Amino acid sequence: CSAIDACKTSNGGCSAKAECRRTTPGNRVCVCNAGHTGDGIVCIEVNPCLENNGGCDRNAECTQTGPNQAVCNCLKGYSGDGKRCTYISLCSQNNGGCSEFAICNDTELTERTCTCKNNYIGDGFNCRGNIFQELLRDVNTSRFYFHLEALSIKDISGPGPFTLFVPHTDVLNSDPRVKDWIARGVMAQVLRYHMVGCANLLYNDLTKITNITSLHGDPIHISYSQNSLILNNKAEVTLSDAVGTNGVIHVINQILVP
């Protein structure tokens, strides 16, 4: 007589994911393979993610990769190895994409708000100060700013509102009359002729009026036709509605002469 091997046929009736072990003749036990659980007849994979998030950080995602195996990946807005995840402040890099003149505040995961600082206006991504400051920030108008600074003209630093008609930087650099006006001491008068006080006139407002008085005291004639806004019958508004906290800037292609 020979002992019957209970495991010889069909893995002894054990699960395909179990080991059949002979005990006594004709008997056997079924033991689930590593990474599996069950009675040996039925074995299922152990999912480590189901208990304690698989040992991952609470701010990580546990993903099963095999029997009793898993990987941990930090959630969006966090960094680390998955076992430990640290919150990434959006505001810690490049001010969160906000303007340099804005305050960035983390609100929740992957979210932040941008708020312009005091004395600035805008949506937080683009913040603007008073028009005196804005002149310097724009290459189209920076030359006008330097002329104001050279002559210590601070009129437009006040509360306003003001409307400025600024000759383009290239025009101020190339017009030979500028040096003559400076030499004769009349450049301040020319500059003030481009400023209008007590008014915040946007492009659309300007199309509806014909005359305004400059800080110099002389009037500026305005005409609008064929979608062009012309000052004193020769200077055209080429860029408009650069709004600051105390007024608005329009760029023109010629110098206005009082």
Side-chain angles (χ1 to χ4, degrees), residues 158-195:
F162 301 99
T163 299
L164 280 188
F165 300 104
V166 180
H168 193 281
T169 289
D170 292 343
V171 174
L172 286 171
N173 285 336
S174 61
D175 195 318
R177 296 176 297 173
V178 172
K179 288 184 179 181
D180 180 57
W181 290 329
I182 295 174
R184 290 164 46 203
V186 297
M187 189 62 182
Q189 298 173 43
V190 174
L191 294 175
R192 285 195 172 95
Y193 187 49
H194 294 77
M195 307 174 188

Side-chain angles (χ1 to χ4, degrees), residues 125-159:
F125 298 97
N126 181 20
C127 297
R128 299 175 300 280
N130 66 48
I131 54 178
F132 189 64
Q133 295 169 308
E134 293 305 304
L135 285 173
L136 180 60
R137 293 178 60 196
D138 188 341
V139 67
N140 297 312
T141 59
S142 58
R143 190 61 184 167
F144 192 83
Y145 170 88
F146 292 127
H147 281 297
L148 294 178
E149 276 284 272
L151 295 169
S152 298
I153 298 175
K154 305 291 185 182
D155 305 56
I156 57 173
S157 296

Side-chain angles (χ1 to χ4, degrees), residues 30-253:
C30 300
V31 181
C32 291
N33 295 334
H36 296 77
T37 185
D39 60 5
I41 305 299
V42 176
C43 296
I44 58 175
E45 288 186 356
V46 174
N47 184 351
C49 297
L50 298 178
E51 184 176 349
N52 195 32
N53 199 31
C56 303
D57 189 273
R58 64 188 183 92
N59 294 308
E61 180 182 23
C62 179
T63 304
Q64 184 183 8
T65 57
N68 203 29
Q69 295 178 325
V71 293
C72 303
N73 294 297
C74 293
L75 298 173
K76 186 177 181 180
Y78 291 86
S79 66
D81 60 5
K83 297 292 185 180
R84 182 176 181 181
C85 299
T86 305
Y87 175 63
I88 302 172
S89 168
L90 293 179
C91 295
S92 65
Q93 298 180 352
N94 194 34
N95 201 30
C98 304
S99 164
E100 61 179 310
F101 303 111
I103 298 172
C104 179
N105 285 306
D106 289 293
T107 53
E108 55 184 85
L109 293 182
T110 71
E111 296 292 335
R112 54 90 178 87
T113 60
C114 301
T115 306
C116 292
K117 296 177 181 178
N118 289 337
N119 300 319
Y120 287 87
I121 59 172
D123 59 7
F125 298 97
N126 181 20
C127 297
R128 299 175 300 280
N130 66 48
I131 54 178
F132 189 64
Q133 295 169 308
E134 293 305 304
L135 285 173
L136 180 60
R137 293 178 60 196
D138 188 341
V139 67
N140 297 312
T141 59
S142 58
R143 190 61 184 167
F144 192 83
Y145 170 88
F146 292 127
H147 281 297
L148 294 178
E149 276 284 272
L151 295 169
S152 298
I153 298 175
K154 305 291 185 182
D155 305 56
I156 57 173
S157 296
F162 301 99
T163 299
L164 280 188
F165 300 104
V166 180
H168 193 281
T169 289
D170 292 343
V171 174
L172 286 171
N173 285 336
S174 61
D175 195 318
R177 296 176 297 173
V178 172
K179 288 184 179 181
D180 180 57
W181 290 329
I182 295 174
R184 290 164 46 203
V186 297
M187 189 62 182
Q189 298 173 43
V190 174
L191 294 175
R192 285 195 172 95
Y193 187 49
H194 294 77
M195 307 174 188
V196 176
C198 303
N200 187 31
L201 300 169
L202 298 176
Y203 189 95
N204 189 53
D205 300 320
L206 294 169
T207 63
K208 301 172 185 176
I209 57 180
T210 56
N211 287 284
I212 48 177
T213 302
S214 69
L215 289 185
H216 175 260
D218 287 353
I220 300 172
H221 177 69
I222 302 173
S223 58
Y224 179 72
S225 64
Q226 298 181 339
N227 295 322
S228 293
L229 195 62
I230 308 297
L231 309 182
N232 291 350
N233 298 317
K234 62 176 183 177
E236 182 180 356
V237 174
T238 56
L239 297 170
S240 62
D241 295 353
V243 178
T245 57
N246 65 339
V248 59
I249 299 170
H250 305 286
V251 178
I252 56 179
N253 63 359

